[in-house]
Amino acid sequence: MSALKYDKIALFVFSIFRENRDKKRRWCFIREESVLKELTELWGVAGYEKEVRRYLERSAAPFADEILTDAVGNLIVRKKGTGGPQSKKIMYAAHMDEIGFMVKTIEDDGRLRVCNMGWNWTAAAYNSRVRFKNGTIGVVGCMGPLEEAANKTGKLYIDIGATSKQDALRYVNLGDPCCYSCDYMELANNRICAKSLDNRIGCYQLLEALKENDGTCPNDIYYVFCVQEELGCRGSKTAAARIRPDIGVAVDITPAHDYPCDLEGSNAVDAGIGIKICDPSVVCDEDVVEAMFACCEQNGIRYQREVIDQGGTDASSINQSGFGVRTGGIVVVTRYAHGPSSVASKLDIEAGIDLINAFSRYTFQFM
């Protein structure tokens, strides 16, 4: 075959590949979008994750070698590997909890004064709907001009329609938590909007990765669905103490910087799955980070490097557990985090599952 004819064939094949790739970007394949939708719409304020855990336990059980719930409420799912001299024990951690509020005072006129359960944007909460575990709906108001609240949750209140304290007590009580009440919505260009993308995205990614783990990975994999990350990365600390992993990976979201906001950095929606390098709470292990880069390069997974100067993930607690654990992070860039309507890319979410699968199969050279 002449070189000219070969070049023409190669160009034709490449054009078909490029066309299919572009179509995929326009019409993103997502493994089980109904599962992601259901997860985001579940009620699961930090410290009250039972509903989310039951859903995940029911979904994960058919694919697990071992499954248990520990004393603080973490769901730990183990999938055994084939073993060998270079086999590692890998712990993936995705937190089940979402931000919310808790009733701290009920005023005589029926308004509910609240405190944070996790960190909330006061401006994002204002005029938003919230839902209590029993289904009671309320609207968030503010004591005076919102500008004067200065992001102090104590200036907010929730209006459930009650006309007095006694009336309010028919529906809620002191200490009742609530979360945002928002539907899962499709946006343009394969993007989605929902409450609790932080971190039901991570829960969805771990669940789908578990389903695709056929037991032929060289490494033992622990898919851990953690509690109370939003209150200080509490669940991952006890889970890591139990598992004693060789490698710990936080699977979470990270703030976007590619739109007008109060943060600065390089994170961009649709730029690929984020590989955490550093945040204020952890400096990720060099070998773990390099292994993630290699997994992406070898498997054609689009990725971006992630560095942030505010915030953190469960990687911090895992890193400092026991005598120390090599740690990394797999993160989906998300806009409007810690509010009722976060936005993320289906392409980035799916790329995260691909990276989890590739990393689980990776042969590590370090001891």
Side-chain angles (χ1 to χ4, degrees), residues 255-259 261-268 305 307-309:
H257 305 125
D258 62 340
Y259 70 110
C261 63
D262 66 320
L263 300 173
E264 294 183 348
S266 302
N267 293 351
R305 295 166 176 254
V307 177
I308 56 175
D309 57 10

Side-chain angles (χ1 to χ4, degrees), residues 239-310:
R242 174 188 289 271
I243 295 167
R244 293 188 292 178
D246 299 306
I247 301 168
V249 178
V251 181
D252 209 328
I253 64 103
T254 188
H257 305 125
D258 62 340
Y259 70 110
C261 63
D262 66 320
L263 300 173
E264 294 183 348
S266 302
N267 293 351
V269 173
D270 278 332
I273 187 63
I275 296 176
K276 182 175 287 294
I277 295 174
C278 182
D279 67 38
S281 69
V282 69
V283 177
C284 293
D285 182 83
E286 290 181 87
D287 293 326
V288 169
V289 171
E290 288 299 325
M292 289 185 181
F293 291 158
C295 286
C296 289
E297 296 290 347
Q298 292 165 12
N299 294 276
I301 302 168
R302 198 171 185 215
Y303 71 96
Q304 57 187 303
R305 295 166 176 254
E306 187 250 22
V307 177
I308 56 175
D309 57 10
Q310 292 186 51

Side-chain angles (χ1 to χ4, degrees), residues 66-255:
E66 298 174 11
I67 188 166
L68 66 89
T69 299
D70 68 13
V72 299
N74 295 312
L75 179 66
I76 301 174
V77 182
R78 182 187 180 194
K79 189 72 175 182
K80 297 177 183 176
T82 57
Q86 291 178 296
S87 177
K88 302 298 180 186
K89 193 188 296 184
I90 302 174
M91 170 183 165
Y92 295 107
H95 67 90
M96 297 181 285
D97 57 308
E98 63 186 297
I99 57 171
F101 303 96
M102 179 176 281
V103 178
K104 67 175 183 180
T105 305
I106 302 177
E107 301 287 4
D108 290 340
D109 61 6
R111 286 177 298 119
L112 313 177
R113 302 292 296 277
V114 294
C115 58
N116 273 335
M117 295 296 285
W119 194 87
N120 286 276
W121 283 105
T122 300
Y126 180 59
N127 285 354
S128 295
R129 288 174 296 173
V130 294
R131 179 167 61 93
F132 289 84
K133 194 173 184 179
N134 65 3
T136 298
I137 299 293
V139 177
V140 179
C142 185
M143 307 280 290
L146 180 63
E147 294 76 14
E148 295 178 8
N151 214 44
K152 296 177 181 176
T153 305
K155 296 290 186 179
L156 300 178
Y157 63 85
I158 296 174
D159 181 354
I160 62 170
T163 56
S164 66
K165 182 174 183 177
Q166 287 304 116
D167 188 27
L169 285 167
R170 295 170 55 204
Y171 304 97
V172 299
N173 211 330
L174 190 69
D176 283 356
C178 63
C179 66
Y180 291 113
S181 179
C182 303
D183 295 330
Y184 179 99
M185 301 180 71
E186 296 266 1
L187 303 184
N189 297 310
N190 291 311
R191 297 177 182 184
I192 58 170
C193 172
K195 77 170 184 70
S196 74
L197 290 183
D198 182 6
N199 182 36
R200 305 293 161 69
I201 283 177
C203 294
Y204 166 75
Q205 290 173 316
L206 288 197
L207 183 59
E208 294 305 308
L210 168 65
K211 293 175 182 177
E212 295 174 18
N213 185 340
D214 61 3
T216 61
C217 296
N219 307 297
D220 268 13
I221 311 298
Y222 290 79
Y223 304 91
V224 183
F225 303 92
C226 299
V227 298
Q228 300 187 47
E229 189 268 357
E230 299 293 0
L231 301 179
C233 302
R234 298 174 182 176
S236 58
K237 184 182 298 185
T238 60
R242 174 188 289 271
I243 295 167
R244 293 188 292 178
D246 299 306
I247 301 168
V249 178
V251 181
D252 209 328
I253 64 103
T254 188

Side-chain angles (χ1 to χ4, degrees), residues 299-341:
N299 294 276
I301 302 168
R302 198 171 185 215
Y303 71 96
Q304 57 187 303
R305 295 166 176 254
E306 187 250 22
V307 177
I308 56 175
D309 57 10
Q310 292 186 51
T313 68
D314 281 317
S316 58
S317 293
I318 301 171
N319 183 229
Q320 298 180 68
S321 66
F323 293 104
V325 177
R326 293 177 183 265
T327 310
I330 295 173
V331 292
V332 172
V333 176
T334 305
R335 293 178 179 175
Y336 321 116
H338 282 245
S341 300

